């Protein structure tokens, strides 16, 4: 099973630039074209939050138009830049979409790997939260299929990255998530967005990884007095490849056209 993870496209209204600098719409369109051209064709695309930049209706209208070009089934969760009800309207009719409340759901009919989406966003806030209710819901959902390979998708990562201007906006009470996941060894990955960088660590007895953005990269500044900054680096995605006997292998994939292929390996 092949699962693409795209994150943080920060779609803007037509003609508007992200932060007045970057054509995030063009970059997301290029990411969609890249996914459509993959061979073999992926089974699923995960969109791990911050689909738009300001939660505006015009941004969601543009997002809906852009997603029409995607030829692979999609699962999505909101991020801190999303507006939950506008998000819900874009995906109306999708069988995985809850009618109300957090965008929490589980999908197990797309292939070998079950996807569990955990909406940790808080309205009007940039940090996330694993509430006691969310942890209990996740525990129950994971217990329902204890032997099924599973990925948990969320937006804000529940750990300190070491980037001082990002860590105040992490997902709080991550110990609740770690405690739940530790009881369910079928969880192959926890996948997040939000930080516009690829990171990985051990968490709750499994592997947690964050996806790069299709738009910009948050600067990797680890000094405690570092000032916020971003770079226009090559956009990228993650490709999660499940194989029986191997398990889940995660690839970092730059998006774009590069020299090659050359006849050597």
């Amino acid at each position: 099973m092949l699962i693409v993870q795209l994150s943080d496209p920060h779609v803007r209204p037509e003609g508007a630039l992200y932060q007045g600098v970057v054509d995030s719409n063009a970059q997301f369109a290029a990411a969609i074209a890249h996914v459509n051209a993959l061979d073999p064709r992926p089974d699923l695309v995960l969109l791990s939050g911050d689909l738009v930049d300001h939660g505006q209706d015009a941004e969601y209208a543009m997002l809906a138009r852009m997603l029409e070009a995607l030829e692979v089934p999609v699962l999505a969760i909101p991020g801190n830049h999303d507006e939950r009800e506008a998000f819900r309207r874009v995906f109306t009719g999708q069988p995985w979409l809850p009618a109300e409340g957090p965008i929490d759901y589980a999908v197990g009919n797309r292939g070998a790997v079950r996807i569990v989406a955990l909406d940790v966003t808080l309205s009007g806030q940039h940090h996330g939260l694993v509430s006691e209710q969310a942890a209990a819901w996740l525990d129950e959902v994971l217990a329902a299929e204890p032997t099924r390979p599973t990925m948990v998708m969320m937006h804000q990562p529940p750990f300190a990255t070491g980037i001082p201007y990002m860590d105040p906006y992490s997902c709080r009470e991550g110990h609740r998530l770690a405690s739940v996941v530790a009881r369910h060894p079928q969880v192959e990955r926890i996948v997040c967005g939000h930080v516009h960088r690829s990171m990985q660590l051990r968490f709750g007895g499994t592997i947690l990884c964050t996806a790069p953005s299709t738009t910009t990269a948050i600067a990797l500044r680890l000094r405690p007095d570092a000032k916020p900054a971003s770079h226009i680096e090559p956009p990228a995605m993650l490709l999660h490849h499940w194989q029986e006997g191997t398990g889940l292998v995660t690839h970092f994939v730059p998006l774009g056209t590069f020299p090659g292929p050359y006849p050597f390996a």
Side-chain angles (χ1 to χ4, degrees):
M1 184 177 183
L2 286 173
I3 304 167
V4 167
Q5 184 183 356
L6 300 175
S7 200
D8 298 84
H10 289 272
V11 168
R12 300 287 286 122
E14 186 170 8
L17 299 178
Y18 172 64
Q19 300 292 337
V21 175
V22 183
D23 191 345
S24 56
N25 294 357
Q27 291 183 302
F28 190 46
I32 289 172
H34 189 105
V35 171
N36 288 341
L38 288 174
D39 183 18
R41 176 67 57 86
D43 298 283
L44 193 59
V45 170
L46 306 182
L47 299 177
S48 49
D50 281 0
L51 276 55
V52 306
D53 195 37
H54 292 296
Q56 300 169 350
D57 288 344
E59 292 175 329
Y60 282 106
M62 175 58 68
L63 174 68
R65 285 168 51 190
M66 297 181 76
L67 288 177
E68 289 176 358
L70 184 59
E71 299 170 3
V72 179
V74 65
L75 302 177
I77 54 169
N80 52 296
H81 284 259
D82 288 299
E83 198 286 316
R84 189 176 282 139
E85 294 313 310
F87 174 102
R88 203 185 305 273
R89 289 192 292 272
V90 168
F91 294 102
T92 295
Q94 291 284 354
W96 48 263
L97 183 69
E100 59 185 16
I103 312 296
D104 296 331
Y105 58 88
V107 173
N109 61 352
R110 294 294 185 180
V113 179
R114 186 183 189 217
I115 309 297
V116 177
L118 183 66
D119 180 2
V120 297
T121 59
L122 299 169
S123 179
Q125 302 291 328
H126 286 299
H127 68 274
L129 175 71
V130 180
S131 67
E132 291 183 358
Q133 180 180 5
W137 176 86
L138 180 63
D139 197 26
E140 181 178 354
V141 167
L142 293 176
E145 295 197 43
T147 62
R148 181 79 175 273
T150 299
M151 295 175 66
V152 175
M153 173 173 61
M154 53 196 291
H155 182 63
Q156 293 99 332
F159 68 94
T161 68
I163 302 175
Y165 43 85
M166 290 302 297
D167 286 340
Y169 310 119
S170 65
C171 180
R172 299 176 185 176
E173 306 300 336
H175 63 93
R176 292 174 179 154
L177 176 66
S179 179
V180 170
V181 171
R183 293 195 292 272
H184 299 282
Q186 79 272 26
V187 176
E188 292 275 339
R189 289 289 187 283
I190 302 169
V191 296
C192 306
H194 188 57
V195 292
H196 291 219
R197 298 199 64 85
S198 178
M199 306 178 192
Q200 56 184 321
L201 77 159
R202 294 286 298 174
F203 183 90
T206 189
I207 298 171
L208 185 151
C209 59
T210 68
S213 170
T214 61
T215 302
T216 55
I218 298 293
L220 183 57
R221 294 181 170 182
L222 301 176
R223 291 183 60 87
D225 58 350
K227 302 300 182 185
S230 292
H231 295 283
I232 302 176
E233 296 180 1
M237 68 181 196
L238 297 182
L239 181 64
H240 308 284
H241 185 196
W242 167 263
Q243 300 175 87
E244 190 68 40
T246 300
L248 197 66
V249 177
T250 296
H251 301 271
F252 176 91
V253 184
L255 296 168
T257 302
F258 305 96
Y262 298 104
F264 54 80

